[in-house]
Amino acid sequence: MPDNGLVADIKNFPQLYNVLSDEDKEYLLANHSVKYFAKNEKIYREGDKPKGLLCLGSGKVKVYKAGIGGREQIVRMVAAPNFLGYRALFAEEAHIASAEAIEDCVIYHIPKDVIFKLIASNRKVCKNILKSFAVELGFTRYRTVSLTQKHIRGRLAESLLFLRDIYGFKDDNITLDVQLSREDIANFSNMTTSNAIRTLSTFVNEKVIAVDGRTIKIVDEPKLERISKLG
Amino acid sequence: MPDNGLVADIKNFPQLYNVLSDEDKEYLLANHSVKYFAKNEKIYREGDKPKGLLCLGSGKVKVYKAGIGGREQIVRMVAAPNFLGYRALFAEEAHIASAEAIEDCVIYHIPKDVIFKLIASNRKVCKNILKSFAVELGFTRYRTVSLTQKHIRGRLAESLLFLRDIYGFKDDNITLDVQLSREDIANFSNMTTSNAIRTLSTFVNEKVIAVDGRTIKIVDEPKLERISKLG
DNA sequence: GTACATTTGTGTTACATAACATATTTTCAT
DNA sequence: ATGAAAATATGTTATGTAACACAAATGTAC
């Protein structure tokens, strides 16, 4: 059992469980499995065929694609609770990205036919999945524009703000509640690791952020927003 | 009436009409409207609230976002028949992109409550929309990686191949069945207009394509694929 | 505790591409 | 037809960032 404080129970996955009828709840409880993934463990790989719907119950996950020359691009950072790897399932294709735990994770696996039955019997399930898609497509399109058009400083600032939006702060309201390597930060911001390190240093010098190892504090949020906006 | 040879009838929109029960078909026929858009006419704008589901019955549409300094980025090229502007509807947000007809278009408009009723009463409608989302999210993620990582030649080659995939060839099996300005090609390929023009010229010199005004012929398809792959 | 691998940090160089300038051609309104 | 505006074409320069090289710090295995 991972020691992340959360009970490994699909009842804690509101997007799905909370909208079901009592009958469907029973059906779901009897027809899903719980899986644990350790930090750095791969959850699925590009090319794998999805066998069902994954729900991230607790932990954090990065979803990334191999680009030109093996350079990896992180296309999604996932916080719990959230659907995972569902694009390939509903497109009826193989996965076009890989997913890796960046913290110990609990994942609920719902077989393909089970989730399709639930979608058919419950309109809210369908609506929630549609909404997840719609929100994620919006995010992805937004990112396409900013990753291609913003300069390094703007891209990095934006990425830090996204990490804040996705994972939030620790109790001090300033420390990002996620630990990433410089390489991950670079792959999320479409830049080389060198440039991510260099630009983080610049931000520290400008007192926009504070860095201690992999711990990042956002010291001057308005300024970071400004850097992100300006591009 | 636009002279595009297609009958303006939602019965010709298979993703939706073909999967409905007789009862739902009647309901849909009685509860939708048909709209015509001339070439270059805006269909919706960033910030508009969607009032229903749009279905592109005939014609061609570009969907684009305003980027840094007003620089526009085409995020989707749409061929008929296809859903349009549905992301904002299901995300329950305003449009984050604009849509413009690049040819005369026929568009069916289905009010919000009508489409949600159809989704609730028919599992195939839901499945088709989920699939549209899944496919488009896949496309968008793929694009994010190639637009950020490929070099100019690779990006342009890939864009031309996407136009082939989306709109196909004319009867000669070589001429792309879509007419775009150099600026649109640039905005679809994430480069300046100058560089789009320059690189198209290079491709012509290398006998990969042939250009006559806005008409583009793909002369050496394998070579174009190679340029796209290499990046 | 030492050796080794990995991650982080910094300076330098090379290069792709945006920005700019300008010319030419096409389109369109009158 | 004619002038104005828009689109297309091409050369030059400036600049941001990747690539490379290397050093220091940190983590890990034995």
Side-chain angles (χ1 to χ4, degrees):
Chain A
M1 274 281 284
D3 103 273
N4 46 42
L6 254 182
V7 184
D9 192 332
I10 202 168
K11 288 179 183 169
N12 293 316
F13 195 82
Q15 287 99 321
L16 195 54
Y17 191 79
N18 287 9
V19 299
L20 293 180
S21 67
D22 288 350
E23 193 184 339
D24 282 345
K25 278 177 183 168
E26 261 185 65
Y27 176 66
L28 175 63
L29 286 172
N31 288 284
H32 79 279
S33 55
V34 182
K35 291 180 180 173
Y36 300 96
F37 291 88
K39 184 175 169 173
N40 298 327
E41 204 178 337
K42 288 229 168 71
I43 298 162
Y44 58 80
R45 287 178 171 78
E46 260 179 89
D48 288 354
K49 287 261 169 65
K51 294 183 188 103
L53 182 67
L54 304 178
C55 303
L56 181 62
S58 80
K60 300 183 175 76
V61 171
K62 66 171 177 179
V63 179
Y64 58 95
K65 270 179 76 62
I68 313 298
R71 199 175 139 193
E72 105 182 13
Q73 165 87 48
I74 295 178
V75 294
R76 185 182 177 206
M77 298 291 305
V78 196
N82 241 311
F83 296 116
L84 183 67
Y86 60 113
R87 196 214 64 84
L89 179 71
F90 292 108
E92 298 170 272
E93 295 169 359
H95 286 293
I96 55 166
S98 306
E100 188 178 315
I102 58 170
E103 273 184 10
D104 291 351
C105 289
V106 179
I107 289 179
Y108 312 115
H109 179 272
I110 303 160
K112 200 168 169 171
D113 57 316
V114 175
I115 186 63
F116 276 113
K117 266 186 197 153
L118 290 173
I119 287 173
S121 76
N122 187 306
R123 74 175 73 177
K124 277 186 189 159
V125 173
C126 176
K127 222 179 156 185
N128 278 356
I129 298 176
L130 278 173
K131 185 157 187 179
S132 282
F133 264 123
V135 170
E136 199 172 328
L137 182 58
F139 174 82
T140 305
R141 280 192 179 159
Y142 180 86
R143 281 245 104 186
T144 302
V145 176
S146 51
L147 288 182
T148 55
Q149 296 195 1
K150 283 185 181 177
H151 287 177
I152 278 200
R153 285 168 59 85
R155 297 206 300 274
L156 182 64
E158 184 178 281
S159 293
L160 294 174
L161 292 171
F162 273 132
L163 291 175
R164 174 203 63 184
D165 295 340
I166 296 169
Y167 298 114
F169 290 126
K170 289 187 192 290
D171 288 341
D172 62 2
N173 269 321
I174 183 176
T175 306
L176 286 179
D177 191 15
V178 61
Q179 303 257 80
L180 292 174
S181 68
R182 302 294 191 265
E183 194 181 356
D184 278 342
I185 292 174
N187 293 339
F188 188 48
S189 311
N190 182 39
M191 61 186 67
T192 55
T193 307
S194 302
N195 277 327
I197 292 167
R198 204 189 313 267
T199 311
L200 282 172
S201 299
T202 314
F203 285 177
V204 171
N205 287 334
E206 296 172 354
K207 300 195 177 15
V208 183
I209 62 173
V211 166
D212 177 18
R214 295 189 175 183
T215 301
I216 297 176
K217 291 178 199 297
I218 298 185
V219 177
D220 190 342
E221 214 167 346
K223 194 167 176 188
L224 197 61
E225 304 260 18
R226 242 177 292 136
I227 295 171
S228 171
K229 272 234 176 70
L230 284 175
Chain B
M1 275 282 284
D3 104 90
N4 46 41
L6 254 183
V7 184
D9 192 333
I10 202 168
K11 288 180 183 169
N12 293 316
F13 196 82
Q15 286 99 321
L16 193 54
Y17 191 81
N18 287 8
V19 298
L20 294 180
S21 67
D22 289 349
E23 194 184 341
D24 281 345
K25 278 178 183 168
E26 260 185 67
Y27 176 66
L28 175 62
L29 286 172
N31 288 284
H32 79 281
S33 55
V34 182
K35 290 181 180 173
Y36 301 97
F37 290 88
K39 183 176 169 174
N40 298 326
E41 205 178 338
K42 289 228 168 73
I43 297 163
Y44 58 79
R45 288 178 171 77
E46 259 177 90
D48 288 354
K49 287 260 170 66
K51 295 184 187 101
L53 182 66
L54 303 179
C55 304
L56 181 62
S58 79
K60 300 183 174 78
V61 170
K62 66 170 176 180
V63 179
Y64 59 96
K65 270 178 77 61
I68 314 298
R71 200 174 140 194
E72 104 181 13
Q73 165 87 47
I74 294 178
V75 294
R76 186 184 176 206
M77 298 291 304
V78 196
N82 241 311
F83 296 115
L84 183 66
Y86 60 113
R87 194 214 65 83
L89 179 71
F90 292 109
E92 299 171 273
E93 294 170 359
H95 286 292
I96 56 165
S98 306
E100 188 178 315
I102 58 169
E103 271 184 12
D104 290 351
C105 289
V106 178
I107 289 179
Y108 311 115
H109 179 271
I110 302 159
K112 202 168 168 172
D113 56 316
V114 175
I115 186 64
F116 277 113
K117 267 186 197 156
L118 290 174
I119 288 173
S121 76
N122 188 307
R123 75 175 69 178
K124 277 186 189 159
V125 173
C126 176
K127 223 179 157 187
N128 279 356
I129 298 176
L130 278 174
K131 186 157 187 181
S132 281
F133 264 123
V135 170
E136 200 172 327
L137 182 58
F139 174 82
T140 304
R141 279 190 179 160
Y142 180 86
R143 280 245 105 186
T144 301
V145 177
S146 50
L147 288 183
T148 54
Q149 296 196 1
K150 283 185 182 178
H151 287 178
I152 277 201
R153 286 169 58 87
R155 296 206 301 274
L156 183 63
E158 184 178 280
S159 293
L160 295 173
L161 293 170
F162 273 131
L163 291 176
R164 174 202 62 184
D165 294 339
I166 295 168
Y167 297 115
F169 290 127
K170 289 187 191 289
D171 289 339
D172 62 2
N173 268 322
I174 182 177
T175 306
L176 286 179
D177 192 15
V178 61
Q179 303 258 76
L180 292 175
S181 69
R182 301 292 192 269
E183 194 181 356
D184 279 341
I185 293 174
N187 292 339
F188 188 48
S189 310
N190 183 38
M191 61 186 67
T192 55
T193 308
S194 300
N195 277 327
I197 291 167
R198 206 190 311 270
T199 312
L200 281 171
S201 299
T202 314
F203 285 177
V204 171
N205 288 334
E206 294 171 356
K207 299 196 180 10
V208 184
I209 62 173
V211 166
D212 177 18
R214 294 187 176 184
T215 301
I216 297 176
K217 291 177 201 294
I218 297 184
V219 177
D220 190 341
E221 215 166 345
K223 195 168 176 188
L224 196 61
E225 303 260 17
R226 241 177 294 136
I227 296 172
S228 170
K229 272 235 178 68
L230 284 176

